[in-house]
Amino acid sequence: MTAELLITSLQISTPELILAVGALALLMIGVFSGDKSAPTVTGLAAAIMIAAGLWLVFSPMQGEAWGGAFVLDSFSRFMKVIALIGSITAMIMTVGNARSEQLDRFEFPVLLTLATLGMMLLISANDLIALYLGLELMSLALYVVAAINRDSLRSTEAGLKYFVLGALSSGMLLYGMSLVYGFTGNTGFDNIAAVLTAETRSLGVVFGLVFILAGLAFKISAVPFHMWTPDVYEGAPTPVTAFFAAGPKVAAMAIFVRIVTDAFMPVFADWQQVVVFISIASMLLGSFAAIGQKNIKRLMAYSSIGHMGYALVGLASGSETGVSGVALYMLIYMVMTLGTFACIMSMRRKEGAALESVDDLAGLSSTNPFMAVVLTALMFSLAGIPPLAGFFAKYFVFVAAIEAKLYALAIIGVLSSVVGAYYYLRIVKVMWFDAANGEFARTAGELRLVFGISGLFVTAYVLFGGPIGLAAEAAAKAFF
Amino acid sequence: MGLQAVFFYLFAFVAVASAFMVISARNPVHSVLFLILVFFNAAGLFLLTGAEFLAMILLVVYIGAVAVLFLFVVMMLDIDFAALRSGILQYAPVGALVGLIVAAELIVVVGGSVLTPEAAKAITMPIPSPATRTNTAALGDVLYTNYVYFFQVSGLVLLVAMIGAIVLTLRHRENIKRQNISQQVARTPATAIEVVKVKTGQGI
């Protein structure tokens, strides 16, 4: 690697360098000043992520770096900005509840920063090895933060379960990668695409492709690799769950899109059927399994499984509209989820006990009308009711599916979102028509800010959604 | 050639003999020590074939870390090795089968590279001759240039693993007696010794 190449590579990956060096500096600050520095470290971590995000938005650098292993294009920039926003918001949301959830340790923001770095590397991965390393960096940090409340049996169980199943999925991913490498002789996405053709593809490549998709489906918690999601969502401390639902999902979906559209586009027919299957299975399971849930975190887990299914509808079409639909879907999904989790984190009694049951929301319209209105908007949006943001997210992916003549997929999607609307509307019913059984404690300012902005976003999306849609379309142009 | 052959048979014989001792020694600590001897001789064999990097790694990783870990496990955990060994002969057929499969696979792999020598030419990074460039230098040539990105990210992954292990296991518990060296050193006979007159036939 010559000096100029090295300098270009460093310039292209500057946001990642900011995060990496920043995480190490934060670790030093934390180690030398102990756990009392946790709030400072959290603030600095958010500042570092904001700096990386600003650099990402304003830097003109674009292209491949590190010998083609890392790529910064319009798609990775769009997804990275979403993932960064998600991580920053989720981290700010932890501040108020840090003490009661036993998250007031300086390692927590450091691990979140490193997990975010993993997401960024994952989104930019343009090589099988880079993909695996980014994924492991993200996942390892997430396993630890899932179990960070060691005194809680449920939290440690969630961490262990996530770790064991995550290791299994990494194994499948690596096995698939080794097969793909063996049958194509390359690890770079561009090189794999160059040697693959639909006519001459060997069975080994298809095997490898299926294993890779299985490993990635695990990370986005698509059916049939979703089993960990409800348990981990329920067991992990709520701020950690909010973090899980935001950035990591975006990053895993981004690499899912990149690997199939970049490396495996020549064998489109082979992966399309896999994506269609996991998409239908996720939508149906997400709609039906959530109906019986009493715990709102478990309900959100099934909701996220369903939403990943809807996002995959766009990918199944394999077209530019489809990919831009996926990008837009992930953005809107993340905003809705963070808003909902901000509401869930506000569900605590004055004595400090955190509540997680749907029934605890009863009578929220009389005790806390602002939160009730916002949560209602978010639920309507998650259900996909116009004119809220969630409707547009679903609209674009279904339009892409219809353009690609995937009528069955689109019809099943619409029908399952009707089923899904039931459990979102049940929450609305509990809030507005059931008798109140106690008031919540005063909501922390940052949580009110987050669900306020999120509520504003979903209701006003119809007014200002144009530029965001254009940005998503520009992002999808990176592949076509 | 003669000297090399002498050393090869020396290392090989000691390796096989001590491998046998690993499974037959009565004392588990002896087993681990014989295991270290196996590793050491295997490192010698690697050195003879010109793979000095592998030899070093074997010493550092397997003897320095893995064998020491085994020793810790053997010495700190209360495992009844006699009970573990009781039915050892009934596993012999399974063990022999696994051994046979491994042997067959080794023969296939080695035989493959002998039968089709052109397969070695397909690799992207040809191995330079040990006479001109040592293994370690050849690895460094690509690891710190072409693969520097992967190398650094792997380092970060290991860092996360380390932070995670510490976060999840380190506890600052109260009411635990810890060694305080400065306190120990500061003790004087006046504070440490008390002379008590004890009457004959009575306790204190």
Side-chain angles (χ1 to χ4, degrees), chain A residues 47-120:
Chain A
I48 287 167
M49 288 189 201
I50 291 171
L54 288 179
W55 189 290
L56 202 58
V57 173
F58 292 110
S59 153
M61 293 305 291
Q62 190 134 316
E64 293 192 349
W66 306 113
F70 182 99
V71 63
L72 182 62
D73 51 19
S74 54
F75 181 76
S76 54
R77 182 169 284 159
F78 185 82
M79 294 308 249
K80 275 185 196 180
V81 171
I82 305 180
L84 273 173
I85 294 172
S87 292
I88 295 166
T89 316
M91 199 152 70
I92 291 172
M93 278 161 45
T94 64
V95 175
N97 290 350
R99 184 154 292 278
S100 60
E101 302 272 6
Q102 304 211 350
L103 300 174
D104 52 341
R105 313 170 63 185
F106 74 87
E107 291 99 339
F108 182 63
V110 173
L111 283 168
L112 293 192
T113 313
L114 286 166
T116 311
L117 172 64
M119 292 169 210
M120 310 259 288

Side-chain angles (χ1 to χ4, degrees), chain A residues 365-384:
Chain A
S365 56
S366 55
T367 57
N368 189 345
F370 174 58
M371 187 170 141
V373 168
V374 170
L375 196 52
T376 307
L378 287 169
M379 287 300 135
F380 277 126
S381 177
L382 280 167

Side-chain angles (χ1 to χ4, degrees), chain A residues 24 27 66 69-70 105 107 114 117 121 130 133 137 140-141 144 147 150-151, chain B residues 145-146 148-150 153-154 156-157 159-161 163-164 167-171:
Chain A
L24 298 181
L27 194 60
W66 306 113
F70 182 99
R105 313 170 63 185
E107 291 99 339
L114 286 166
L117 172 64
L121 297 178
L133 288 174
L137 184 60
L140 263 181
V144 179
R150 291 173 312 179
D151 299 327
Chain B
T145 55
N146 295 7
V148 65
Y149 171 68
F150 304 139
V153 179
S154 313
L156 280 173
V157 173
L159 175 74
V160 170
I163 299 174
V167 168
L168 295 180
T169 53
L170 181 68
R171 273 175 186 273

Side-chain angles (χ1 to χ4, degrees), chain A residues 85-386:
Chain A
I85 294 172
S87 292
I88 295 166
T89 316
M91 199 152 70
I92 291 172
M93 278 161 45
T94 64
V95 175
N97 290 350
R99 184 154 292 278
S100 60
E101 302 272 6
Q102 304 211 350
L103 300 174
D104 52 341
R105 313 170 63 185
F106 74 87
E107 291 99 339
F108 182 63
V110 173
L111 283 168
L112 293 192
T113 313
L114 286 166
T116 311
L117 172 64
M119 292 169 210
M120 310 259 288
L121 297 178
L122 187 56
I123 294 171
S124 269
N126 197 29
D127 185 291
L128 293 176
I129 304 174
L131 188 168
Y132 179 70
L133 288 174
L135 194 75
E136 282 305 299
L137 184 60
M138 175 183 96
S139 310
L140 263 181
L142 295 183
Y143 304 146
V144 179
V145 292
I148 200 160
N149 186 357
R150 291 173 312 179
D151 299 327
S152 149
L153 196 63
R154 288 198 310 166
S155 170
T156 40
E157 186 202 324
L160 191 64
K161 194 172 264 177
Y162 194 21
F163 174 67
V164 172
L165 291 175
L168 183 74
S169 83
S170 289
M172 288 196 283
L173 191 70
L174 278 179
Y175 185 53
M177 286 179 184
S178 69
L179 281 173
V180 168
Y181 174 62
F183 280 89
T184 62
N186 289 296
T187 56
F189 291 174
D190 308 336
N191 297 338
I192 292 175
V195 297
L196 275 183
T197 53
E199 293 76 35
T200 60
R201 63 123 175 91
S202 59
L203 199 60
V205 173
V206 180
F207 258 93
L209 172 65
V210 171
F211 274 105
I212 290 177
L213 292 185
L216 291 176
F218 181 91
K219 292 293 168 196
I220 59 170
S221 69
V223 180
F225 306 99
H226 64 284
M227 301 79 69
W228 59 276
T229 324
D231 295 340
V232 172
Y233 269 46
E234 189 189 357
T238 314
V240 174
T241 312
F243 188 83
F244 279 8
K249 284 274 164 71
V250 174
M253 186 55 94
I255 194 65
F256 199 117
V257 170
R258 181 181 294 282
I259 195 168
V260 294
T261 49
D262 235 19
F264 294 109
M265 207 50 183
V267 290
F268 173 59
D270 288 318
W271 60 258
Q272 190 190 27
Q273 49 187 331
V274 177
V275 173
V276 167
F277 169 73
I278 58 177
S279 165
I280 290 177
S282 306
M283 288 188 295
L284 290 179
L285 188 118
S287 312
F288 284 99
I291 290 175
Q293 301 305 325
K294 303 250 183 303
N295 181 304
I296 194 159
K297 279 160 82 181
R298 268 188 106 76
L299 189 135
M300 286 307 290
Y302 283 107
S303 154
S304 104
I305 294 171
H307 280 287
M308 290 305 125
Y310 296 119
L312 286 174
V313 169
L315 183 60
S317 69
S319 62
E320 195 180 323
T321 15
V323 171
S324 79
V326 176
L328 191 64
Y329 202 104
M330 293 316 293
L331 169 67
I332 293 174
Y333 162 76
M334 196 193 72
V335 175
M336 296 187 299
T337 311
L338 282 174
T340 313
F341 271 102
C343 292
I344 295 175
M345 282 161 70
S346 316
M347 290 168 57
R348 48 179 65 239
R349 292 272 180 254
K350 292 215 171 63
E351 308 83 67
L355 302 170
E356 293 180 356
S357 165
V358 174
D359 296 331
D360 292 321
L361 285 168
L364 191 68
S365 56
S366 55
T367 57
N368 189 345
F370 174 58
M371 187 170 141
V373 168
V374 170
L375 196 52
T376 307
L378 287 169
M379 287 300 135
F380 277 126
S381 177
L382 280 167
I385 290 166

